[in-house]
Amino acid sequence: MIVKSAAQQSDVIVLGAGIVGVCVALHLQKRGKSVVLVDRKEPGEETSYGNAGLIECSSVMPYGAPRELGTLLRYGLNRSADVRFDWSYLPQIAPWLWRFWRESAPKRLKKAASDMWPLISRSVAEHEALASEAGATSELHRSGWIETFRKPGSLAKAKAAAGDLAPFGVRYEVLDADSLREREPHLSNEFVGGVHWLDPATVRDPGGLVKSYAKAFFQRGGTFHKADASNLVNDGIRWRLNLESQSLFAQEVVVALGPWADDVARRLGYRLPFVVKRGYHVHYSAKAGATLNHPVFDADGGYVLSPMRQGVRLATGIEFAPRDSRPNFSQLDFVEPLARRTFPLQGRIESEPWMGSRPCLPDMRPIIGNAPRHKGLWFAFGHNHHGLTLGPVTGRLLAEMMTGRVAFTDPRPYAMDRFS
Ligand SMILES: Cc1cc2nc3c(=O)[nH]c(=O)nc-3n(C[C@H](O)[C@H](O)[C@H](O)COP(=O)(O)OP(=O)(O)OC[C@H]3O[C@@H](n4cnc5c(N)ncnc54)[C@H](O)[C@@H]3O)c2cc1C
Protein backbone atom coordinates (compact mmCIF):
# COMPACT_ATOMS: atom_id res chain seq x y z
CA MET A 1 0.00 0.00 0.00
CA ILE A 2 1.22 3.52 -0.75
CA VAL A 3 1.39 5.56 2.45
CA LYS A 4 1.73 9.22 1.60
CA SER A 5 3.27 11.73 3.95
CA ALA A 6 0.52 13.47 5.89
CA ALA A 7 -0.83 16.83 4.98
CA GLN A 8 -0.85 18.70 8.28
CA GLN A 9 -4.19 20.25 7.52
CA SER A 10 -7.17 18.46 5.99
CA ASP A 11 -10.92 18.91 5.99
CA VAL A 12 -11.57 15.72 7.92
CA ILE A 13 -9.60 13.20 9.97
CA VAL A 14 -11.22 9.75 10.06
CA LEU A 15 -10.12 7.65 13.03
CA GLY A 16 -10.26 3.93 12.28
CA ALA A 17 -9.63 2.13 8.98
CA GLY A 18 -12.02 -0.79 9.36
CA ILE A 19 -14.86 -1.20 6.88
CA VAL A 20 -16.75 1.72 8.45
CA GLY A 21 -13.89 4.24 8.56
CA VAL A 22 -12.65 3.41 5.07
CA CYS A 23 -16.15 3.75 3.59
CA VAL A 24 -16.73 7.05 5.42
CA ALA A 25 -13.38 8.32 4.08
CA LEU A 26 -14.24 7.26 0.51
CA HIS A 27 -17.68 8.84 0.57
CA LEU A 28 -16.36 12.12 2.00
CA GLN A 29 -13.62 12.17 -0.62
CA LYS A 30 -16.20 11.61 -3.38
CA ARG A 31 -17.98 14.71 -2.10
CA GLY A 32 -14.91 16.88 -2.37
CA LYS A 33 -13.41 16.69 1.13
CA SER A 34 -9.71 16.22 1.77
CA VAL A 35 -9.49 13.29 4.17
CA VAL A 36 -6.78 11.78 6.34
CA LEU A 37 -7.33 8.24 7.60
CA VAL A 38 -5.63 7.11 10.82
CA ASP A 39 -5.27 3.59 12.21
CA ARG A 40 -2.68 1.85 14.35
CA LYS A 41 -2.81 -1.09 11.94
CA GLU A 42 -3.14 -1.32 8.16
CA PRO A 43 -6.74 -1.00 6.87
CA GLY A 44 -9.11 -3.90 7.51
CA GLU A 45 -7.00 -5.87 9.95
CA GLU A 46 -9.25 -5.98 13.02
CA THR A 47 -12.96 -6.86 13.30
CA SER A 48 -13.49 -6.19 9.61
CA TYR A 49 -10.98 -8.95 8.86
CA GLY A 50 -12.31 -11.67 11.13
CA ASN A 51 -16.04 -11.81 10.46
CA ALA A 52 -18.09 -14.47 8.67
CA GLY A 53 -18.09 -12.55 5.37
CA LEU A 54 -21.85 -12.03 4.97
CA ILE A 55 -23.24 -8.85 3.46
CA GLU A 56 -26.42 -9.66 5.16
CA CYS A 57 -29.36 -7.86 3.58
CA SER A 58 -31.75 -10.64 4.63
CA SER A 59 -31.25 -10.07 8.39
CA VAL A 60 -34.22 -7.78 8.62
CA MET A 61 -34.92 -8.48 12.29
CA PRO A 62 -32.01 -7.46 14.52
CA TYR A 63 -30.58 -10.18 16.77
CA GLY A 64 -32.52 -9.46 19.94
CA ALA A 65 -32.36 -11.19 23.31
CA PRO A 66 -34.32 -14.45 23.56
CA ARG A 67 -37.63 -14.21 25.45
CA GLU A 68 -38.16 -17.94 26.12
CA LEU A 69 -37.22 -19.07 29.62
CA GLY A 70 -35.59 -22.31 28.40
CA THR A 71 -33.25 -20.47 26.04
CA LEU A 72 -32.42 -17.85 28.67
CA LEU A 73 -31.54 -20.61 31.12
CA ARG A 74 -29.41 -22.44 28.58
CA TYR A 75 -27.53 -19.22 27.82
CA GLY A 76 -27.23 -18.33 31.48
CA LEU A 77 -25.77 -21.71 32.37
CA ASN A 78 -23.33 -21.52 29.45
CA ARG A 79 -24.93 -24.64 27.99
CA SER A 80 -25.20 -23.24 24.51
CA ALA A 81 -22.59 -22.86 21.76
CA ASP A 82 -24.04 -19.62 20.45
CA VAL A 83 -23.72 -17.54 23.65
CA ARG A 84 -21.22 -17.66 26.52
CA PHE A 85 -21.08 -15.40 29.56
CA ASP A 86 -18.04 -14.51 31.60
CA TRP A 87 -19.99 -14.19 34.84
CA SER A 88 -17.42 -11.94 36.52
CA TYR A 89 -18.34 -9.39 33.83
CA LEU A 90 -22.03 -9.43 34.75
CA PRO A 91 -22.10 -6.56 37.28
CA GLN A 92 -20.56 -4.30 34.65
CA ILE A 93 -22.93 -5.21 31.84
CA ALA A 94 -26.14 -5.88 33.78
CA PRO A 95 -27.67 -2.46 32.91
CA TRP A 96 -26.83 -3.01 29.25
CA LEU A 97 -28.31 -6.51 29.26
CA TRP A 98 -31.48 -5.25 30.94
CA ARG A 99 -31.87 -2.53 28.33
CA PHE A 100 -31.11 -4.98 25.52
CA TRP A 101 -33.77 -7.33 26.87
CA ARG A 102 -36.33 -4.52 27.02
CA GLU A 103 -35.46 -3.40 23.48
CA SER A 104 -36.00 -7.00 22.35
CA ALA A 105 -39.71 -6.98 23.20
CA PRO A 106 -41.61 -7.88 19.99
CA LYS A 107 -43.00 -4.38 19.37
CA ARG A 108 -39.67 -2.65 19.91
CA LEU A 109 -37.82 -5.21 17.83
CA LYS A 110 -40.23 -4.53 14.97
CA LYS A 111 -39.51 -0.81 15.29
CA ALA A 112 -35.76 -1.51 15.28
CA ALA A 113 -36.23 -3.58 12.12
CA SER A 114 -38.09 -0.77 10.36
CA ASP A 115 -35.48 1.77 11.51
CA MET A 116 -32.67 -0.40 10.18
CA TRP A 117 -34.36 -1.36 6.92
CA PRO A 118 -33.28 1.77 4.96
CA LEU A 119 -29.67 0.82 5.71
CA ILE A 120 -29.98 -2.96 5.38
CA SER A 121 -31.96 -2.83 2.13
CA ARG A 122 -29.25 -0.75 0.39
CA SER A 123 -26.30 -2.65 1.80
CA VAL A 124 -25.52 -4.90 -1.15
CA ALA A 125 -26.06 -2.14 -3.75
CA GLU A 126 -23.75 0.22 -1.83
CA HIS A 127 -21.04 -2.47 -1.66
CA GLU A 128 -21.46 -3.17 -5.37
CA ALA A 129 -21.02 0.52 -6.19
CA LEU A 130 -17.82 0.83 -4.13
CA ALA A 131 -16.49 -2.53 -5.33
CA SER A 132 -17.00 -1.46 -8.91
CA GLU A 133 -15.11 1.82 -8.33
CA ALA A 134 -12.35 -0.09 -6.55
CA GLY A 135 -12.06 -2.77 -9.26
CA ALA A 136 -13.08 -5.35 -6.67
CA THR A 137 -16.39 -6.61 -8.06
CA SER A 138 -15.07 -10.17 -8.25
CA GLU A 139 -14.67 -10.16 -4.46
CA LEU A 140 -18.46 -10.07 -4.00
CA HIS A 141 -20.17 -13.41 -4.52
CA ARG A 142 -23.88 -13.24 -5.29
CA SER A 143 -25.06 -16.74 -4.40
CA GLY A 144 -26.34 -16.04 -0.87
CA TRP A 145 -25.85 -18.20 2.20
CA ILE A 146 -27.64 -21.17 3.73
CA GLU A 147 -29.12 -21.65 7.18
CA THR A 148 -29.27 -25.37 8.00
CA PHE A 149 -31.34 -27.26 10.58
CA ARG A 150 -30.93 -30.54 12.39
CA LYS A 151 -34.44 -30.70 13.84
CA PRO A 152 -37.73 -30.63 11.87
CA GLY A 153 -39.16 -28.25 14.50
CA SER A 154 -36.34 -25.74 13.94
CA LEU A 155 -36.82 -25.87 10.18
CA ALA A 156 -40.58 -25.31 10.56
CA LYS A 157 -39.96 -22.32 12.83
CA ALA A 158 -37.44 -20.85 10.40
CA LYS A 159 -39.89 -21.32 7.53
CA ALA A 160 -42.53 -19.36 9.42
CA ALA A 161 -40.04 -16.62 10.36
CA ALA A 162 -38.90 -16.32 6.74
CA GLY A 163 -42.55 -16.03 5.67
CA ASP A 164 -42.97 -13.09 8.06
CA LEU A 165 -40.38 -11.19 6.01
CA ALA A 166 -42.63 -11.17 2.92
CA PRO A 167 -43.44 -7.43 3.32
CA PHE A 168 -39.71 -6.67 2.91
CA GLY A 169 -39.45 -8.62 -0.35
CA VAL A 170 -36.57 -10.74 0.92
CA ARG A 171 -35.95 -13.69 -1.43
CA TYR A 172 -35.31 -17.18 -0.05
CA GLU A 173 -35.85 -20.84 -0.85
CA VAL A 174 -36.79 -23.51 1.66
CA LEU A 175 -34.69 -26.63 1.04
CA ASP A 176 -35.49 -30.18 2.01
CA ALA A 177 -32.60 -32.55 2.82
CA ASP A 178 -32.15 -33.58 -0.84
CA SER A 179 -32.12 -30.09 -2.30
CA LEU A 180 -29.74 -28.98 0.47
CA ARG A 181 -27.36 -31.74 -0.58
CA GLU A 182 -27.66 -30.70 -4.24
CA ARG A 183 -26.37 -27.25 -3.28
CA GLU A 184 -23.83 -28.50 -0.75
CA PRO A 185 -22.90 -32.08 -1.73
CA HIS A 186 -20.27 -32.45 1.00
CA LEU A 187 -22.45 -31.40 3.90
CA SER A 188 -23.45 -34.00 6.46
CA ASN A 189 -26.73 -35.84 5.96
CA GLU A 190 -27.65 -34.98 9.57
CA PHE A 191 -29.50 -31.90 8.33
CA VAL A 192 -33.23 -32.13 7.67
CA GLY A 193 -33.18 -29.06 5.44
CA GLY A 194 -32.38 -25.39 5.28
CA VAL A 195 -33.30 -21.91 4.16
CA HIS A 196 -31.23 -20.52 1.32
CA TRP A 197 -31.11 -16.72 1.58
CA LEU A 198 -30.69 -15.60 -2.01
CA ASP A 199 -30.14 -11.83 -1.82
CA PRO A 200 -27.05 -11.42 0.40
CA ALA A 201 -23.59 -11.10 -1.08
CA THR A 202 -20.72 -12.96 0.54
CA VAL A 203 -17.01 -12.26 0.67
CA ARG A 204 -14.12 -14.72 0.85
CA ASP A 205 -11.65 -12.18 2.18
CA PRO A 206 -13.41 -9.43 4.16
CA GLY A 207 -10.12 -7.81 5.22
CA GLY A 208 -8.99 -7.87 1.58
CA LEU A 209 -12.22 -6.14 0.53
CA VAL A 210 -11.52 -3.31 3.00
CA LYS A 211 -7.98 -3.06 1.62
CA SER A 212 -9.37 -2.79 -1.95
CA TYR A 213 -11.66 0.06 -0.87
CA ALA A 214 -8.75 1.72 0.96
CA LYS A 215 -6.60 1.42 -2.17
CA ALA A 216 -9.26 3.29 -4.15
CA PHE A 217 -9.16 6.02 -1.46
CA PHE A 218 -5.35 6.30 -1.74
CA GLN A 219 -5.42 6.30 -5.53
CA ARG A 220 -7.68 9.35 -5.41
CA GLY A 221 -5.24 11.21 -3.19
CA GLY A 222 -6.39 10.16 0.29
CA THR A 223 -3.67 9.91 2.92
CA PHE A 224 -3.12 7.40 5.70
CA HIS A 225 -1.19 7.49 8.97
CA LYS A 226 -0.38 4.33 10.85
CA ALA A 227 -0.61 5.83 14.31
CA ASP A 228 -2.51 5.85 17.56
CA ALA A 229 -5.73 7.86 17.49
CA SER A 230 -5.99 8.47 21.22
CA ASN A 231 -4.39 11.91 21.40
CA LEU A 232 -7.27 13.84 19.95
CA VAL A 233 -7.64 17.41 21.19
CA ASN A 234 -10.07 20.19 20.42
CA ASP A 235 -8.57 23.67 20.81
CA GLY A 236 -11.92 25.42 20.44
CA ILE A 237 -11.38 26.19 16.76
CA ARG A 238 -10.23 22.92 15.22
CA TRP A 239 -9.25 19.34 15.99
CA ARG A 240 -5.68 18.27 16.51
CA LEU A 241 -4.32 14.74 16.56
CA ASN A 242 -0.83 14.53 17.96
CA LEU A 243 1.27 11.86 16.28
CA GLU A 244 4.81 10.92 17.20
CA SER A 245 6.55 13.36 14.90
CA GLN A 246 3.82 15.72 13.78
CA SER A 247 0.26 16.91 14.38
CA LEU A 248 -2.74 16.62 12.09
CA PHE A 249 -5.31 19.40 12.04
CA ALA A 250 -8.86 19.40 10.71
CA GLN A 251 -12.16 21.15 11.19
CA GLU A 252 -13.93 17.83 11.50
CA VAL A 253 -13.18 14.39 12.94
CA VAL A 254 -15.01 11.09 12.51
CA VAL A 255 -14.67 8.43 15.20
CA ALA A 256 -15.01 5.06 13.42
CA LEU A 257 -12.99 2.95 15.83
CA GLY A 258 -15.39 -0.01 16.00
CA PRO A 259 -15.01 -1.83 19.35
CA TRP A 260 -12.55 0.84 20.55
CA ALA A 261 -14.80 3.83 19.72
CA ASP A 262 -16.10 4.11 23.25
CA ASP A 263 -12.57 4.76 24.58
CA VAL A 264 -12.31 7.99 22.59
CA ALA A 265 -15.95 8.94 23.15
CA ARG A 266 -15.51 8.59 26.93
CA ARG A 267 -12.37 10.68 26.92
CA LEU A 268 -14.42 13.42 25.27
CA GLY A 269 -17.10 13.13 27.94
CA TYR A 270 -19.69 10.90 26.23
CA ARG A 271 -20.97 8.00 28.32
CA LEU A 272 -22.68 5.50 26.07
CA PRO A 273 -24.29 2.13 26.81
CA PHE A 274 -21.62 0.38 24.77
CA VAL A 275 -20.73 -3.29 25.12
CA VAL A 276 -18.82 -5.71 22.94
CA LYS A 277 -19.89 -9.19 21.98
CA ARG A 278 -16.70 -11.11 21.34
CA GLY A 279 -16.36 -13.81 18.69
CA TYR A 280 -13.73 -16.23 17.42
CA HIS A 281 -12.69 -17.91 14.23
CA VAL A 282 -10.18 -20.45 13.01
CA HIS A 283 -9.53 -21.83 9.51
CA TYR A 284 -9.35 -25.45 8.40
CA SER A 285 -8.29 -27.04 5.18
CA ALA A 286 -10.97 -29.22 3.61
CA LYS A 287 -10.37 -32.92 3.03
CA ALA A 288 -9.39 -33.80 -0.55
CA GLY A 289 -12.21 -33.19 -3.01
CA ALA A 290 -14.56 -31.51 -0.51
CA THR A 291 -15.83 -28.04 -1.36
CA LEU A 292 -18.13 -25.66 0.47
CA ASN A 293 -20.05 -23.50 -2.00
CA HIS A 294 -21.81 -21.10 0.40
CA PRO A 295 -21.42 -19.89 3.97
CA VAL A 296 -23.48 -22.28 6.09
CA PHE A 297 -24.98 -21.37 9.46
CA ASP A 298 -25.70 -24.47 11.54
CA ALA A 299 -28.61 -22.91 13.40
CA ASP A 300 -29.04 -25.76 15.88
CA GLY A 301 -25.27 -26.00 16.37
CA GLY A 302 -24.58 -22.27 16.82
CA TYR A 303 -21.66 -21.62 14.45
CA VAL A 304 -20.95 -20.58 10.86
CA LEU A 305 -18.72 -22.29 8.30
CA SER A 306 -17.62 -19.89 5.55
CA PRO A 307 -15.49 -20.68 2.52
CA MET A 308 -12.60 -18.19 2.73
CA ARG A 309 -9.38 -17.51 0.87
CA GLN A 310 -7.43 -19.07 3.76
CA GLY A 311 -9.62 -22.20 4.06
CA VAL A 312 -12.95 -22.99 5.70
CA ARG A 313 -13.54 -20.42 8.46
CA LEU A 314 -15.36 -21.68 11.55
CA ALA A 315 -16.82 -18.60 13.28
CA THR A 316 -18.48 -18.68 16.67
CA GLY A 317 -21.46 -16.92 18.21
CA ILE A 318 -21.38 -14.41 21.04
CA GLU A 319 -19.19 -14.18 24.10
CA PHE A 320 -19.98 -11.56 26.75
CA ALA A 321 -16.56 -10.85 28.25
CA PRO A 322 -14.41 -7.75 28.70
CA ARG A 323 -12.97 -6.68 25.36
CA ASP A 324 -9.36 -6.91 26.47
CA SER A 325 -9.48 -9.96 28.75
CA ARG A 326 -7.73 -13.16 27.74
CA PRO A 327 -9.39 -15.20 24.99
CA ASN A 328 -11.42 -18.21 26.05
CA PHE A 329 -11.57 -20.73 23.22
CA SER A 330 -14.20 -22.96 24.82
CA GLN A 331 -16.92 -22.04 22.29
CA LEU A 332 -14.64 -23.00 19.41
CA ASP A 333 -13.58 -26.20 21.15
CA PHE A 334 -17.23 -26.99 21.87
CA VAL A 335 -18.43 -26.61 18.26
CA GLU A 336 -15.41 -28.07 16.50
CA PRO A 337 -16.51 -31.75 16.77
CA LEU A 338 -19.95 -30.81 15.44
CA ALA A 339 -18.41 -28.77 12.61
CA ARG A 340 -16.22 -31.74 11.71
CA ARG A 341 -19.35 -33.91 11.45
CA THR A 342 -20.99 -31.22 9.33
CA PHE A 343 -18.23 -30.88 6.75
CA PRO A 344 -15.02 -32.87 6.09
CA LEU A 345 -12.49 -30.58 7.77
CA GLN A 346 -8.81 -31.38 8.16
CA GLY A 347 -6.49 -29.76 10.69
CA ARG A 348 -6.58 -26.16 11.91
CA ILE A 349 -4.51 -23.82 9.77
CA GLU A 350 -3.59 -21.35 12.53
CA SER A 351 -2.06 -22.41 15.82
CA GLU A 352 -3.95 -19.65 17.66
CA PRO A 353 -7.56 -18.77 16.75
CA TRP A 354 -8.54 -15.18 15.98
CA MET A 355 -10.63 -13.22 18.48
CA GLY A 356 -12.55 -10.02 17.75
CA SER A 357 -15.34 -7.91 19.21
CA ARG A 358 -18.64 -6.75 17.78
CA PRO A 359 -19.33 -3.15 18.90
CA CYS A 360 -22.90 -3.11 20.23
CA LEU A 361 -25.52 -0.68 21.54
CA PRO A 362 -28.52 -2.11 23.38
CA ASP A 363 -31.15 -0.83 20.93
CA MET A 364 -29.44 -2.68 18.06
CA ARG A 365 -28.92 0.46 15.98
CA PRO A 366 -25.52 2.04 15.27
CA ILE A 367 -24.60 5.63 16.06
CA ILE A 368 -24.23 7.60 12.84
CA GLY A 369 -24.21 11.36 13.24
CA ASN A 370 -22.79 14.31 15.11
CA ALA A 371 -21.66 14.36 18.72
CA PRO A 372 -24.01 16.84 20.34
CA ARG A 373 -21.55 18.70 22.55
CA HIS A 374 -18.64 19.21 20.12
CA LYS A 375 -18.63 21.10 16.86
CA GLY A 376 -17.12 19.08 14.04
CA LEU A 377 -17.15 15.75 15.90
CA TRP A 378 -18.94 12.85 14.21
CA PHE A 379 -19.52 9.26 15.26
CA ALA A 380 -19.91 6.13 13.11
CA PHE A 381 -19.81 2.98 15.21
CA GLY A 382 -21.84 0.33 17.01
CA HIS A 383 -22.76 -1.74 13.97
CA ASN A 384 -23.30 -4.83 16.04
CA HIS A 385 -23.41 -8.08 14.07
CA HIS A 386 -23.55 -6.27 10.73
CA GLY A 387 -20.68 -3.83 10.38
CA LEU A 388 -19.30 -5.46 7.24
CA THR A 389 -22.77 -5.26 5.74
CA LEU A 390 -23.38 -1.65 6.74
CA GLY A 391 -19.98 -0.01 6.15
CA PRO A 392 -20.65 1.49 2.69
CA VAL A 393 -24.20 2.63 3.44
CA THR A 394 -22.96 4.23 6.68
CA GLY A 395 -20.25 6.00 4.69
CA ARG A 396 -22.84 7.42 2.32
CA LEU A 397 -25.22 8.55 5.05
CA LEU A 398 -22.57 10.23 7.19
CA ALA A 399 -20.92 11.93 4.20
CA GLU A 400 -24.30 13.27 3.09
CA MET A 401 -24.92 14.65 6.57
CA MET A 402 -21.44 16.16 6.87
CA THR A 403 -21.57 17.86 3.50
CA GLY A 404 -25.05 19.29 3.94
CA ARG A 405 -26.59 17.12 1.21
CA VAL A 406 -30.10 15.72 1.50
CA ALA A 407 -29.59 12.43 3.31
CA PHE A 408 -31.01 9.39 1.48
CA THR A 409 -32.87 8.43 4.66
CA ASP A 410 -33.93 10.11 7.87
CA PRO A 411 -30.85 9.76 10.13
CA ARG A 412 -32.71 10.34 13.42
CA PRO A 413 -32.96 6.64 14.42
CA TYR A 414 -29.15 6.53 14.53
CA ALA A 415 -28.63 9.83 16.37
CA MET A 416 -26.56 9.80 19.51
CA ASP A 417 -28.99 11.92 21.52
CA ARG A 418 -31.31 8.92 21.85
CA PHE A 419 -29.05 7.95 24.78
CA SER A 420 -29.02 11.33 26.53
C1 LIG B 1 -17.05 -13.56 14.74
C2 LIG B 1 -17.67 -12.37 14.03
C3 LIG B 1 -18.44 -12.60 12.88
C4 LIG B 1 -19.02 -11.51 12.21
N1 LIG B 1 -19.70 -11.73 11.04
C5 LIG B 1 -20.20 -10.68 10.34
C6 LIG B 1 -20.80 -10.88 9.07
O1 LIG B 1 -20.85 -11.98 8.53
N2 LIG B 1 -21.34 -9.79 8.43
C7 LIG B 1 -21.27 -8.54 8.96
O2 LIG B 1 -21.80 -7.62 8.36
N3 LIG B 1 -20.65 -8.32 10.15
C8 LIG B 1 -20.10 -9.34 10.85
N4 LIG B 1 -19.48 -9.13 12.03
C9 LIG B 1 -19.42 -7.76 12.56
C10 LIG B 1 -18.44 -6.90 11.81
O3 LIG B 1 -17.23 -7.58 11.59
C11 LIG B 1 -18.18 -5.59 12.57
O4 LIG B 1 -19.41 -4.99 12.91
C12 LIG B 1 -17.38 -4.62 11.72
O5 LIG B 1 -16.19 -5.21 11.24
C13 LIG B 1 -17.04 -3.35 12.49
O6 LIG B 1 -16.29 -2.54 11.62
P1 LIG B 1 -15.58 -1.24 12.15
O7 LIG B 1 -14.93 -0.58 11.00
O8 LIG B 1 -16.58 -0.46 12.94
O9 LIG B 1 -14.51 -1.80 13.21
P2 LIG B 1 -13.04 -2.43 12.96
O10 LIG B 1 -12.98 -3.22 11.71
O11 LIG B 1 -12.63 -3.07 14.22
O12 LIG B 1 -12.17 -1.13 12.73
C14 LIG B 1 -11.80 -0.28 13.79
C15 LIG B 1 -10.37 0.15 13.53
O13 LIG B 1 -9.96 1.06 14.57
C16 LIG B 1 -8.60 0.85 14.81
N5 LIG B 1 -8.25 1.38 16.12
C17 LIG B 1 -8.80 1.06 17.31
N6 LIG B 1 -8.28 1.81 18.30
C18 LIG B 1 -7.35 2.61 17.73
C19 LIG B 1 -6.48 3.62 18.22
N7 LIG B 1 -6.43 3.94 19.50
N8 LIG B 1 -5.68 4.25 17.34
C20 LIG B 1 -5.70 3.94 16.02
N9 LIG B 1 -6.51 3.01 15.49
C21 LIG B 1 -7.33 2.34 16.33
C22 LIG B 1 -8.40 -0.66 14.70
O14 LIG B 1 -7.05 -0.98 14.42
C23 LIG B 1 -9.37 -1.00 13.57
O15 LIG B 1 -8.71 -1.10 12.32
C24 LIG B 1 -18.87 -10.20 12.72
C25 LIG B 1 -18.10 -9.97 13.86
C26 LIG B 1 -17.50 -11.05 14.51
C27 LIG B 1 -16.64 -10.78 15.71
Side-chain angles (χ1 to χ4, degrees):
M1 182 214 314
I2 303 162
V3 180
K4 295 191 175 180
S5 69
Q8 289 247 305
Q9 175 77 41
S10 62
D11 293 330
V12 188
I13 301 169
V14 176
L15 306 179
I19 185 69
V20 175
V22 168
C23 292
V24 168
L26 260 176
H27 272 285
L28 285 168
Q29 186 185 52
K30 277 148 68 91
R31 287 162 184 77
K33 295 280 186 189
S34 61
V35 183
V36 173
L37 193 56
V38 178
D39 200 301
R40 60 189 172 200
K41 293 196 168 181
E42 297 291 332
E45 295 193 346
E46 286 284 1
T47 332
S48 300
Y49 155 76
N51 52 68
L54 309 180
I55 298 174
E56 224 319 56
C57 59
S58 60
S59 272
V60 175
M61 297 308 284
Y63 301 153
R67 314 292 285 179
E68 311 84 34
L69 192 62
T71 314
L72 282 169
L73 271 175
R74 231 174 355 99
Y75 285 0
L77 296 170
N78 282 339
R79 289 213 185 120
S80 162
D82 35 5
V83 179
R84 193 190 91 82
F85 283 93
D86 170 350
W87 281 111
S88 65
Y89 189 39
L90 188 67
Q92 235 173 300
I93 58 163
W96 188 96
L97 286 173
W98 170 239
R99 199 156 173 181
F100 176 51
W101 194 78
R102 275 192 8 237
E103 294 290 346
S104 304
K107 223 169 149 182
R108 291 194 188 194
L109 207 58
K110 256 192 173 161
K111 175 76 173 86
S114 76
D115 283 349
M116 288 304 293
W117 183 238
L119 304 186
I120 294 272
S121 59
R122 288 178 76 119
S123 57
V124 172
E126 293 290 342
H127 264 285
E128 281 179 330
L130 288 193
S132 155
E133 290 170 28
T137 305
S138 61
E139 293 190 38
L140 302 179
H141 298 262
R142 293 306 315 270
S143 50
W145 62 279
I146 302 178
E147 195 173 359
T148 56
F149 300 93
R150 293 166 183 276
K151 302 173 197 156
S154 311
L155 177 60
K157 236 171 141 179
K159 236 159 109 176
D164 290 344
L165 301 184
F168 296 94
V170 173
R171 294 182 315 128
Y172 63 92
E173 265 178 64
V174 176
L175 310 176
D176 60 16
D178 290 338
S179 38
L180 173 60
R181 246 185 314 284
E182 267 168 37
R183 276 165 221 210
E184 289 295 348
H186 299 106
L187 223 53
S188 150
N189 56 15
E190 290 174 24
F191 294 107
V192 296
V195 175
H196 187 167
W197 299 98
L198 301 168
D199 295 323
T202 64
V203 184
R204 296 194 170 195
D205 182 1
L209 184 71
V210 179
K211 286 185 191 299
S212 300
Y213 292 172
K215 196 168 159 205
F217 169 73
F218 303 136
Q219 280 169 347
R220 291 174 187 161
T223 56
F224 175 71
H225 283 272
K226 194 166 172 180
D228 191 85
S230 307
N231 295 320
L232 181 68
V233 190
N234 184 260
D235 63 13
I237 302 168
R238 59 189 178 168
W239 292 93
R240 187 178 77 237
L241 183 66
N242 295 323
L243 308 183
E244 255 176 33
S245 56
Q246 64 185 132
S247 296
L248 306 179
F249 295 94
Q251 292 304 121
E252 297 182 287
V253 174
V254 179
V255 178
L257 293 165
W260 297 271
D262 195 40
D263 299 354
V264 170
R266 271 174 186 263
R267 220 168 287 134
L268 294 167
Y270 296 93
R271 294 190 80 76
L272 292 164
F274 186 88
V275 153
V276 299
K277 296 180 188 171
R278 302 203 306 187
Y280 299 83
H281 85 226
V282 69
H283 294 103
Y284 300 81
S285 47
K287 284 192 180 155
T291 48
L292 188 65
N293 299 320
H294 310 82
V296 168
F297 171 44
D298 179 350
D300 295 318
Y303 62 89
V304 178
L305 285 179
S306 297
M308 290 284 172
R309 190 174 51 76
Q310 300 92 330
V312 178
R313 180 175 288 185
L314 167 59
T316 64
I318 296 161
E319 183 191 37
F320 286 102
R323 185 192 64 202
D324 300 328
S325 68
R326 282 161 58 96
N328 178 324
F329 301 123
S330 58
Q331 277 168 297
L332 264 182
D333 295 339
F334 185 81
V335 296
E336 187 184 74
L338 199 56
R340 286 187 180 284
R341 267 177 27 212
T342 293
F343 184 79
L345 300 171
Q346 297 215 101
R348 289 186 178 185
I349 288 173
E350 299 94 351
S351 53
E352 171 103 348
W354 173 89
M355 181 185 80
S357 299
R358 304 169 181 91
C360 299
L361 294 149
D363 65 354
M364 293 158 276
R365 298 155 178 88
I367 294 179
I368 306 170
N370 66 307
R373 296 194 298 278
H374 290 86
K375 192 163 180 278
L377 179 62
W378 301 84
F379 287 160
F381 57 82
H383 290 77
N384 226 304
H385 291 254
H386 292 124
L388 178 70
T389 302
L390 298 172
V393 75
T394 298
R396 170 181 291 281
L397 180 59
L398 194 69
E400 286 171 351
M401 293 167 78
M402 290 176 68
T403 54
R405 310 276 207 291
V406 177
F408 76 84
T409 186
D410 179 359
R412 274 175 300 184
Y414 327 114
M416 185 168 183
D417 59 13
R418 69 190 195 266
F419 296 116
S420 53

